[in-house]
Amino acid sequence: MRIEPVFLFDLDGTLVDSVYQHVLAWKQALDSEGIELSVWRIHRKIGMSGGLFANQLVRETGLAIDDDGLERLRRKHAEAYRRMADAIRPLPGAKDLLAFLTAAAIPWAIATSGRIETAGVNLAALGVDPAKVPVVTRDQVKYAKPDPDLFIAAAARLNAPIETAIVVGDSIWDMLAAARCRALGVGLLCGGYGASELQQATAFRVYDDPADLLVHIDELGGRR
């Protein structure tokens, strides 16, 4: 009996070239609140849940941030990110990869830590209609990455066991979440994390970007 794979994709830095826009949007939001945090430190947190982001922010700055302050930061980040919408582009090969999986009848879904207010910008750039494609956003689950809720929900939308899923992401948070739900994690370098970081976080394969993954799709159980 052949086990058919399903693909669960992160969005920012995996299918869409948007990580650094998120970083700059968070920088603008933090600066507006008088919170100093280096850009490189912000980058290390892209993809994790808002609660974990807040916890790390408190540890690194020593500032106490209440729920109202966190919500204000989130809103300012979303507003700044939407102002950058015209600069958001699909990563090389992203559309071709999704088109190949669709043509090959290999199920796929998107699972993103972003809320729909920012994820909608990315989906539009990618040409993905959430009314036609399974998309799970932060708004729909209790916890985001590195908790596995997003990927578990996405697999359920495909009516597939999570153990048969291949999680494709660009950050260590994607890989940790994949490991926690017993899915196979595949890392992409196009979000800024290094190959060794992704592998240490349990990625069993690492590729440059969606185009490179498509070239090697047979290594993941896809068939041309």
Side-chain angles (χ1 to χ4, degrees):
M1 182 179 69
R2 172 172 162 74
I3 297 176
E4 299 291 346
V6 299
F7 285 77
L8 309 179
F9 293 97
D10 173 51
L11 189 55
D12 292 292
T14 298
L15 295 173
V16 180
D17 192 6
S18 57
V19 167
Y20 296 101
Q21 284 86 351
H22 272 296
V23 171
L24 294 175
W26 275 117
K27 179 65 173 169
Q28 290 181 27
L30 291 166
D31 285 350
S32 73
E33 293 288 313
I35 301 173
E36 293 187 10
L37 194 65
S38 300
V39 168
W40 75 270
R41 291 188 181 276
I42 298 172
H43 174 259
R44 308 297 294 181
K45 299 168 181 56
I46 298 299
M48 66 172 60
S49 72
L52 186 55
F53 181 97
N55 291 340
Q56 294 210 6
L57 193 59
V58 168
R59 282 200 295 268
E60 293 186 22
T61 64
L63 299 173
I65 303 174
D66 59 19
D67 289 343
D68 289 342
L70 182 59
E71 175 60 23
R72 192 164 58 248
L73 282 171
R74 187 193 66 76
R75 187 177 65 253
K76 289 183 176 181
H77 160 262
E79 292 170 352
Y81 185 77
R82 287 196 297 268
R83 289 195 294 269
M84 303 179 195
D86 290 345
I88 307 300
R89 299 286 186 276
L91 281 157
K95 288 186 175 182
D96 291 338
L97 174 60
L98 299 182
F100 165 79
L101 294 175
T102 299
I106 298 174
W108 59 273
I110 291 174
T112 174
S113 288
R115 296 180 183 275
I116 192 61
E117 59 191 347
T118 55
V121 173
N122 300 341
L123 293 171
L126 194 58
V128 169
D129 183 353
K132 299 178 180 178
V133 173
V135 175
V136 181
T137 66
R138 178 65 182 86
D139 314 82
Q140 298 169 294
V141 297
K142 185 174 183 180
Y143 299 112
K145 305 162 193 172
D147 286 279
D149 301 35
L150 285 162
F151 294 128
I152 292 172
R157 292 279 299 274
L158 296 175
N159 296 313
I162 189 63
E163 295 84 359
T164 70
I166 296 172
V167 167
V168 182
D170 67 292
S171 76
I172 60 173
W173 313 111
D174 296 309
M175 300 302 102
L176 292 171
R180 291 178 68 180
C181 59
R182 301 189 303 280
L184 290 175
V186 171
L188 300 184
L189 300 177
C190 42
Y193 278 90
S196 61
E197 292 178 291
L198 294 168
Q199 289 164 341
Q200 288 170 9
T202 73
F204 85 104
R205 288 287 186 277
V206 176
Y207 302 103
D208 290 342
D209 55 19
D212 189 33
L213 189 156
L214 179 56
V215 170
H216 298 91
I217 194 70
D218 56 324
E219 297 177 358
L220 308 179
R223 291 292 183 269
R224 286 185 173 275

